[in-house]
Tab-separated table of all heavy atoms in Angstrom:
chain	number	residue	atom	x	y	z
A	13	VAL	N	0.812	-1.102	0.012
A	13	VAL	CA	0.071	0.043	-0.044
A	13	VAL	C	0.885	1.320	-0.044
A	13	VAL	O	1.732	1.275	0.767
A	13	VAL	CB	-0.892	0.063	1.200
A	13	VAL	CG1	-1.885	1.218	1.122
A	13	VAL	CG2	-1.698	-1.308	1.404
A	14	GLN	N	0.603	2.202	-0.878
A	14	GLN	CA	1.431	3.346	-0.946
A	14	GLN	C	0.550	4.553	-1.419
A	14	GLN	O	-0.145	4.453	-2.395
A	14	GLN	CB	2.541	3.164	-1.957
A	14	GLN	CG	3.398	4.537	-2.094
A	14	GLN	CD	4.082	4.962	-0.865
A	14	GLN	OE1	4.665	4.176	-0.031
A	14	GLN	NE2	3.938	6.330	-0.695
A	15	ILE	N	0.570	5.568	-0.710
A	15	ILE	CA	-0.090	6.804	-1.178
A	15	ILE	C	0.653	7.456	-2.225
A	15	ILE	O	1.886	7.574	-2.408
A	15	ILE	CB	-0.169	7.873	0.087
A	15	ILE	CG1	-1.288	8.884	-0.249
A	15	ILE	CG2	1.165	8.460	0.398
A	15	ILE	CD1	-1.581	9.766	0.985
A	16	PRO	N	-0.042	7.925	-3.325
A	16	PRO	CA	0.646	8.526	-4.536
A	16	PRO	C	1.133	9.847	-4.231
A	16	PRO	O	0.850	10.890	-4.769
A	16	PRO	CB	-0.449	8.630	-5.503
A	16	PRO	CG	-1.745	8.734	-4.824
A	16	PRO	CD	-1.493	7.892	-3.524
A	17	GLU	N	2.241	9.896	-3.409
A	17	GLU	CA	2.865	11.154	-2.970
A	17	GLU	C	3.648	11.646	-4.295
A	17	GLU	O	4.386	10.901	-5.009
A	17	GLU	CB	3.900	10.934	-1.933
A	17	GLU	CG	4.685	12.119	-1.502
A	17	GLU	CD	5.738	11.800	-0.575
A	17	GLU	OE1	5.779	10.577	-0.051
A	17	GLU	OE2	6.645	12.638	-0.223
A	18	LEU	N	3.419	12.938	-4.526
A	18	LEU	CA	4.071	13.526	-5.774
A	18	LEU	C	5.681	13.626	-5.528
A	18	LEU	O	6.057	13.870	-4.493
A	18	LEU	CB	3.598	14.920	-5.983
A	18	LEU	CG	2.117	15.053	-6.355
A	18	LEU	CD1	1.761	16.546	-6.412
A	18	LEU	CD2	1.681	14.265	-7.542
A	19	THR	N	6.308	13.387	-6.532
A	19	THR	CA	7.838	13.446	-6.513
A	19	THR	C	8.169	14.958	-6.647
A	19	THR	O	7.504	15.762	-7.288
A	19	THR	CB	8.509	12.652	-7.648
A	19	THR	OG1	7.926	13.067	-8.917
A	19	THR	CG2	8.293	11.097	-7.423
A	20	ASP	N	9.288	15.287	-6.113
A	20	ASP	CA	9.772	16.747	-6.272
A	20	ASP	C	10.121	17.085	-7.782
A	20	ASP	O	10.665	16.142	-8.421
A	20	ASP	CB	11.086	16.840	-5.395
A	20	ASP	CG	11.464	18.294	-5.316
A	20	ASP	OD1	12.024	18.804	-6.320
A	20	ASP	OD2	11.195	18.930	-4.314
A	21	GLU	N	9.694	18.128	-8.129
A	21	GLU	CA	9.770	18.609	-9.497
A	21	GLU	C	11.267	18.620	-9.888
A	21	GLU	O	11.579	18.477	-11.073
A	21	GLU	CB	9.272	20.033	-9.644
A	21	GLU	CG	7.636	20.040	-9.547
A	21	GLU	CD	7.116	21.315	-9.973
A	21	GLU	OE1	7.796	22.222	-10.130
A	21	GLU	OE2	5.806	21.403	-9.849
A	22	LYS	N	12.135	18.838	-8.991
A	22	LYS	CA	13.663	18.936	-9.411
A	22	LYS	C	14.310	17.631	-9.136
A	22	LYS	O	15.565	17.527	-9.387
A	22	LYS	CB	14.252	19.996	-8.525
A	22	LYS	CG	13.720	21.352	-8.751
A	22	LYS	CD	14.506	22.442	-7.824
A	22	LYS	CE	13.897	23.861	-8.105
A	22	LYS	NZ	14.492	24.801	-7.273
A	23	SER	N	13.657	16.536	-8.716
A	23	SER	CA	14.311	15.254	-8.428
A	23	SER	C	14.578	14.501	-9.685
A	23	SER	O	13.993	14.687	-10.797
A	23	SER	CB	13.291	14.462	-7.549
A	23	SER	OG	12.168	14.101	-8.243
A	24	LYS	N	15.492	13.519	-9.521
A	24	LYS	CA	15.823	12.609	-10.532
A	24	LYS	C	14.642	11.887	-11.113
A	24	LYS	O	14.419	11.517	-12.278
A	24	LYS	CB	16.980	11.716	-10.202
A	24	LYS	CG	18.251	12.373	-9.883
A	24	LYS	CD	19.292	11.296	-9.526
A	24	LYS	CE	20.635	12.070	-9.157
A	24	LYS	NZ	21.791	11.013	-8.794
A	25	ALA	N	13.798	11.474	-10.066
A	25	ALA	CA	12.566	10.728	-10.351
A	25	ALA	C	11.682	11.424	-11.304
A	25	ALA	O	11.168	10.861	-12.288
A	25	ALA	CB	11.869	10.255	-9.061
A	26	ARG	N	11.427	12.649	-10.999
A	26	ARG	CA	10.479	13.488	-11.964
A	26	ARG	C	11.115	13.680	-13.319
A	26	ARG	O	10.481	13.593	-14.309
A	26	ARG	CB	10.146	14.928	-11.259
A	26	ARG	CG	9.331	15.816	-12.064
A	26	ARG	CD	7.906	15.090	-12.250
A	26	ARG	NE	7.269	15.151	-11.040
A	26	ARG	CZ	6.452	16.122	-10.571
A	26	ARG	NH1	6.319	17.222	-11.286
A	26	ARG	NH2	5.844	16.085	-9.424
A	27	LYS	N	12.401	13.877	-13.334
A	27	LYS	CA	13.152	14.018	-14.555
A	27	LYS	C	13.058	12.674	-15.386
A	27	LYS	O	13.160	12.748	-16.688
A	27	LYS	CB	14.557	14.547	-14.335
A	27	LYS	CG	14.751	15.925	-13.737
A	27	LYS	CD	16.108	16.239	-13.488
A	27	LYS	CE	16.225	17.674	-12.938
A	27	LYS	NZ	17.581	18.045	-12.706
A	28	ALA	N	12.969	11.640	-14.719
A	28	ALA	CA	12.818	10.351	-15.361
A	28	ALA	C	11.518	10.058	-15.773
A	28	ALA	O	11.212	8.978	-16.381
A	28	ALA	CB	13.499	9.259	-14.556
A	29	GLY	N	10.507	10.915	-15.410
A	29	GLY	CA	9.113	10.618	-15.864
A	29	GLY	C	8.170	10.063	-14.769
A	29	GLY	O	7.042	9.916	-15.095
A	30	TYR	N	8.730	9.928	-13.559
A	30	TYR	CA	7.834	9.436	-12.493
A	30	TYR	C	7.172	10.692	-11.745
A	30	TYR	O	7.778	11.386	-11.112
A	30	TYR	CB	8.629	8.629	-11.492
A	30	TYR	CG	9.347	7.408	-12.202
A	30	TYR	CD1	10.660	7.440	-12.487
A	30	TYR	CD2	8.476	6.255	-12.510
A	30	TYR	CE1	11.299	6.416	-13.052
A	30	TYR	CE2	9.180	5.213	-13.058
A	30	TYR	CZ	10.527	5.301	-13.333
A	30	TYR	OH	11.172	4.049	-13.979
A	31	LYS	N	5.848	10.665	-11.858
A	31	LYS	CA	5.118	11.790	-11.226
A	31	LYS	C	4.952	11.585	-9.727
A	31	LYS	O	4.819	12.591	-9.013
A	31	LYS	CB	3.732	12.043	-11.894
A	31	LYS	CG	3.916	12.498	-13.413
A	31	LYS	CD	2.500	12.613	-13.965
A	31	LYS	CE	2.621	13.089	-15.467
A	31	LYS	NZ	1.376	13.281	-16.047
A	32	ASN	N	4.820	10.345	-9.398
A	32	ASN	CA	4.553	9.957	-7.922
A	32	ASN	C	5.240	8.835	-7.532
A	32	ASN	O	5.715	7.950	-8.377
A	32	ASN	CB	3.091	9.951	-7.616
A	32	ASN	CG	2.304	8.938	-8.440
A	32	ASN	OD1	2.669	7.740	-8.309
A	32	ASN	ND2	1.349	9.263	-9.140
A	33	ILE	N	5.308	8.442	-6.240
A	33	ILE	CA	6.101	7.274	-5.710
A	33	ILE	C	5.421	5.944	-6.190
A	33	ILE	O	6.076	4.950	-6.413
A	33	ILE	CB	6.151	7.290	-4.149
A	33	ILE	CG1	6.971	8.565	-3.815
A	33	ILE	CG2	6.754	6.126	-3.671
A	33	ILE	CD1	7.160	8.718	-2.324
A	34	CYS	N	4.005	5.901	-6.430
A	34	CYS	CA	3.467	4.661	-6.896
A	34	CYS	C	3.956	4.324	-8.180
A	34	CYS	O	4.129	3.004	-8.535
A	34	CYS	CB	1.935	4.873	-6.946
A	34	CYS	SG	1.241	4.986	-5.287
A	35	GLU	N	4.122	5.227	-9.146
A	35	GLU	CA	4.823	4.919	-10.409
A	35	GLU	C	6.093	4.324	-10.256
A	35	GLU	O	6.463	3.474	-10.962
A	35	GLU	CB	4.787	6.231	-11.269
A	35	GLU	CG	3.409	6.713	-11.570
A	35	GLU	CD	3.440	7.991	-12.559
A	35	GLU	OE1	4.654	8.379	-12.931
A	35	GLU	OE2	2.431	8.545	-12.893
A	36	ILE	N	6.840	4.800	-9.378
A	36	ILE	CA	8.267	4.210	-9.063
A	36	ILE	C	8.110	2.825	-8.605
A	36	ILE	O	8.817	1.899	-9.059
A	36	ILE	CB	8.936	5.113	-8.172
A	36	ILE	CG1	9.325	6.473	-8.649
A	36	ILE	CG2	10.287	4.404	-7.609
A	36	ILE	CD1	9.899	7.426	-7.596
A	37	GLY	N	7.213	2.544	-7.604
A	37	GLY	CA	6.924	1.252	-7.035
A	37	GLY	C	6.572	0.199	-8.062
A	37	GLY	O	7.108	-0.848	-8.102
A	38	LYS	N	5.605	0.589	-8.884
A	38	LYS	CA	5.117	-0.330	-9.892
A	38	LYS	C	6.133	-0.695	-10.868
A	38	LYS	O	6.222	-1.898	-11.261
A	38	LYS	CB	3.865	0.157	-10.524
A	38	LYS	CG	2.513	0.243	-9.666
A	38	LYS	CD	1.438	0.792	-10.361
A	38	LYS	CE	1.537	2.343	-10.630
A	38	LYS	NZ	0.241	2.870	-11.074
A	39	GLU	N	6.890	0.324	-11.340
A	39	GLU	CA	7.954	0.002	-12.283
A	39	GLU	C	9.122	-0.773	-11.639
A	39	GLU	O	9.597	-1.727	-12.387
A	39	GLU	CB	8.534	1.353	-12.709
A	39	GLU	CG	9.565	1.279	-13.828
A	39	GLU	CD	9.022	0.631	-15.188
A	39	GLU	OE1	7.760	0.709	-15.410
A	39	GLU	OE2	9.738	0.146	-15.942
A	40	ARG	N	9.382	-0.641	-10.484
A	40	ARG	CA	10.511	-1.414	-9.808
A	40	ARG	C	10.011	-2.936	-9.748
A	40	ARG	O	10.797	-3.712	-10.060
A	40	ARG	CB	10.700	-0.895	-8.319
A	40	ARG	CG	11.783	-1.841	-7.682
A	40	ARG	CD	12.026	-1.435	-6.330
A	40	ARG	NE	13.054	-2.330	-5.749
A	40	ARG	CZ	13.652	-2.099	-4.567
A	40	ARG	NH1	13.350	-1.149	-3.869
A	40	ARG	NH2	14.466	-3.013	-4.117
A	41	ILE	N	8.758	-3.156	-9.315
A	41	ILE	CA	8.270	-4.640	-9.269
A	41	ILE	C	8.304	-5.145	-10.602
A	41	ILE	O	8.780	-6.356	-10.721
A	41	ILE	CB	6.893	-4.576	-8.712
A	41	ILE	CG1	6.819	-3.993	-7.242
A	41	ILE	CG2	6.423	-6.031	-8.632
A	41	ILE	CD1	5.314	-3.848	-6.842
A	42	SER	N	7.928	-4.456	-11.669
A	42	SER	CA	7.964	-4.949	-12.909
A	42	SER	C	9.369	-5.336	-13.462
A	42	SER	O	9.604	-6.482	-14.014
A	42	SER	CB	7.273	-3.961	-13.946
A	42	SER	OG	7.218	-4.588	-15.173
A	43	ARG	N	10.229	-4.413	-13.196
A	43	ARG	CA	11.642	-4.630	-13.750
A	43	ARG	C	12.318	-5.751	-12.847
A	43	ARG	O	12.977	-6.552	-13.398
A	43	ARG	CB	12.413	-3.373	-13.605
A	43	ARG	CG	12.043	-2.263	-14.614
A	43	ARG	CD	12.965	-1.055	-14.509
A	43	ARG	NE	12.458	0.028	-15.319
A	43	ARG	CZ	13.073	1.136	-15.560
A	43	ARG	NH1	14.344	1.360	-14.931
A	43	ARG	NH2	12.530	2.161	-16.305
A	44	ALA	N	12.159	-5.713	-11.521
A	44	ALA	CA	12.752	-6.646	-10.755
A	44	ALA	C	12.271	-8.053	-10.954
A	44	ALA	O	12.975	-9.054	-11.022
A	44	ALA	CB	12.544	-6.262	-9.190
A	45	GLY	N	10.913	-8.198	-11.256
A	45	GLY	CA	10.418	-9.481	-11.477
A	45	GLY	C	10.980	-10.091	-12.803
A	45	GLY	O	11.392	-11.290	-12.859
A	46	LYS	N	11.098	-9.280	-13.813
A	46	LYS	CA	11.675	-9.748	-15.094
A	46	LYS	C	13.027	-10.100	-14.971
A	46	LYS	O	13.569	-11.115	-15.418
A	46	LYS	CB	11.469	-8.646	-16.202
A	46	LYS	CG	10.120	-8.323	-16.686
A	46	LYS	CD	10.045	-7.359	-17.562
A	46	LYS	CE	8.655	-6.964	-18.071
A	46	LYS	NZ	8.552	-5.788	-18.914
A	47	GLN	N	13.954	-9.285	-14.106
A	47	GLN	CA	15.204	-9.657	-13.950
A	47	GLN	C	15.433	-10.910	-13.128
A	47	GLN	O	16.287	-11.710	-13.502
A	47	GLN	CB	15.875	-8.448	-13.133
A	47	GLN	CG	17.340	-8.595	-13.015
A	47	GLN	CD	18.011	-7.506	-12.062
A	47	GLN	OE1	17.826	-7.500	-10.890
A	47	GLN	NE2	18.627	-6.544	-12.702
């Protein structure tokens, strides 16, 4: 469970296209699972 907290506009995550932490979490699970 994760609240969709917005990433900082100046952060590496936002620059990489992740608007909130949930987008990071889902992408990590997907990549880690495949790896």
Side-chain angles (χ1 to χ4, degrees):
V13 186
Q14 176 60 44
I15 196 166
E17 178 188 352
L18 298 176
T19 55
D20 189 284
E21 293 184 357
K22 298 179 181 179
S23 66
K24 293 180 181 179
R26 180 63 69 89
K27 292 176 181 178
Y30 300 102
K31 295 180 180 179
N32 60 58
I33 293 180
C34 290
E35 292 181 0
I36 294 174
K38 288 181 291 186
E39 184 64 22
R40 176 184 183 169
I41 302 172
S42 180
R43 293 186 186 184
K46 291 176 182 177
Q47 184 185 76

